[in-house]
Amino acid sequence: EKGGYDHFMLKEIHEQPRAIRDTLKGRISHAGDKVILDEIKMTTKEIQNIKRIVITACGTAYHAGLVGKYIIEQLVRIPVEVDIASEFRYRDPLIDEETLVVVVSQSGETADTLAALREARRRGARVVAITNVIASSVAREADDIIYTWAGPEISVASTKAYTTQLVAIYLLALYLAQERNTLAAGNIKEILNELKAIYSKAQEVLDGEQPIKDFAEKYCKHEDAFFIGRGLDYAVALEGSLKLKEISYIHAEAYAAGELKHGTLALIVENIPVIALATQQSLFEKMVSNIKEVKARDASVIALAMEGHTEVEKVADQVIYIPKTHQVLAPIITVIPLQLLAYYISVYRGCDVDKPRNLAKSVTVE
Ligand code: F6R
């Protein structure tokens, strides 16, 4: 049932190219210039009337939502707020008929996420659900559903659900951009073209896992780690840090790299592993400076950069390159080395990878 893999998590990490492809299937026009989301029943007029978007979810799905904020604000120019479902539901949220609420849940059964959905609908908002389970509670109660076609996810640590949630969010963002005319047709086509190729780039990352395995062996004895990044890389850093924490029990923190000098640098000491995400071209120079800041404290830096950005080799101890893609799409492939790193560290530490202590796959209680 594990398809020859030692753990469900590794199997599911390797299923990502297939899952990404399935989630895109039938949702891009033949000519490659339009998103087809028949499952969104809103009219163009209704889409044009949206004033605000609120994304709410828990855990990894919340991290997918954070990527969504950057993407939707950039491509659609609508203000987006992302909120943890257990916070959203209890704070008398500012939601009305002009708010679109996007709920993200792999299982579709997370108690807080479901309650947030109900609260949003009670206040008159339209709710789009992104979920992996057909006819789940979230799917049944939402106005519109975008299914992720990840297939069953057994490992407690979410991997293929996250990357397919990202794909669904990109499709939604591009669909809204298309209906609201916020992006030139050429730009939509360009991003869609890259999106169609992203699964093969995910495969390339998987094929190059050996160096990541070696880093895992090298770093598995540490008890602390930091993940830093800017923009979309910051959102991915949060997910990378969660993966490491939940399955290896290493204390890991993710920081927006610009925040380092506002306190975190005090924690950067000799040899501490810092995973520095530097995939965003427009923020690359800033990240190089941040890497220098932690190197000046003798941290051990693994940088993630896009192919061609070899300049990073001068400042980082090690570099993992991801295949070149449009910078807005980078999170889909940037997260994969971080999933593999967490996985192999967990294995080297002898942890129960698929069933980490104290955690359940589906949290149906508050
Ligand atoms: C982390 C993880 C959890 C879930 C969270 C939400 O790897 O799996 O953080 O993402 O419990 O679950 P769903 O998406 O089912 O609502």
Side-chain angles (χ1 to χ4, degrees), residues 252-302:
E253 290 200 45
Y255 267 91
E259 269 294 289
L260 284 175
K261 45 174 95 55
H262 300 285
T264 325
L265 271 178
L267 296 170
I268 304 296
V269 292
E270 198 179 341
N271 289 330
I272 200 153
V274 175
I275 294 99
L277 279 55
T279 72
Q280 299 293 296
Q281 183 129 31
S282 51
L283 298 165
F284 185 73
E285 293 307 323
K286 297 278 168 204
M287 274 309 295
V288 168
S289 314
N290 293 132
I291 294 173
K292 286 182 186 159
E293 275 171 356
V294 297
K295 275 313 298 174
R297 275 89 191 162
D298 294 318
S300 192
V301 178
I302 304 179

Side-chain angles (χ1 to χ4, degrees), residues 9 57-63 103-114 130-133 138 153 155-159 161-162 165 239 242-243 246-247 356 359-363:
M9 183 179 178
C58 301
T60 287
Y62 166 73
H63 292 155
V103 161
V104 188
S105 175
Q106 187 282 126
S107 63
E109 303 297 345
T110 301
D112 283 316
T113 307
L114 186 58
I130 295 175
T131 182
N132 195 40
V133 178
V138 160
E153 193 179 63
S155 158
V156 165
S158 184
T159 55
Y162 174 77
Q165 281 157 1
E239 174 58 10
L242 172 61
K243 284 293 89 96
E246 67 177 331
I247 59 170
L359 298 175
K361 181 63 187 160
S362 188
V363 185

Side-chain angles (χ1 to χ4, degrees), residues 209-248:
E209 70 160 29
Q210 190 55 48
I212 302 164
K213 219 168 153 175
D214 298 340
F215 295 149
E217 191 172 9
K218 177 169 176 206
Y219 288 105
C220 67
K221 301 249 156 55
H222 285 266
E223 291 306 326
D224 301 276
F226 287 86
F227 290 74
I228 58 172
R230 287 172 178 260
L232 285 167
D233 280 334
Y234 171 48
V236 178
L238 284 160
E239 174 58 10
S241 135
L242 172 61
K243 284 293 89 96
L244 187 63
K245 275 183 273 209
E246 67 177 331
I247 59 170
S248 75

Side-chain angles (χ1 to χ4, degrees), residues 4-109:
Y5 292 99
D6 289 343
H7 300 94
F8 282 110
M9 183 179 178
L10 190 60
K11 172 175 177 267
E12 290 162 7
I13 288 173
H14 279 268
E15 281 172 346
Q16 290 179 110
R18 194 274 308 147
I20 292 166
R21 212 159 51 159
D22 284 352
T23 302
L24 285 172
K25 203 177 281 167
R27 288 169 169 167
I28 299 177
S29 69
H30 223 64
D33 58 349
K34 272 201 151 53
V35 176
I36 305 165
L37 275 183
D38 292 337
E39 48 270 80
I40 303 285
K41 307 282 182 233
M42 268 177 283
T43 62
T44 303
K45 181 112 195 37
E46 284 170 328
I47 290 176
Q48 284 170 351
N49 285 341
I50 299 167
K51 297 282 182 301
R52 240 176 103 236
I53 296 181
V54 173
I55 307 177
T56 185
C58 301
T60 287
Y62 166 73
H63 292 155
L66 290 175
V67 172
K69 175 184 168 71
Y70 283 97
I71 297 301
I72 297 171
E73 288 192 343
Q74 189 178 332
L75 304 181
V76 198
R77 309 306 294 167
I78 301 180
V80 182
E81 194 183 335
V82 192
D83 209 355
I84 293 168
S86 58
E87 290 297 315
F88 174 87
R89 60 180 290 202
Y90 291 119
R91 71 186 170 90
D92 197 3
L94 291 165
I95 298 291
D96 59 23
E97 297 77 14
E98 293 179 324
T99 313
L100 178 70
V101 172
V102 180
V103 161
V104 188
S105 175
Q106 187 282 126
S107 63
E109 303 297 345

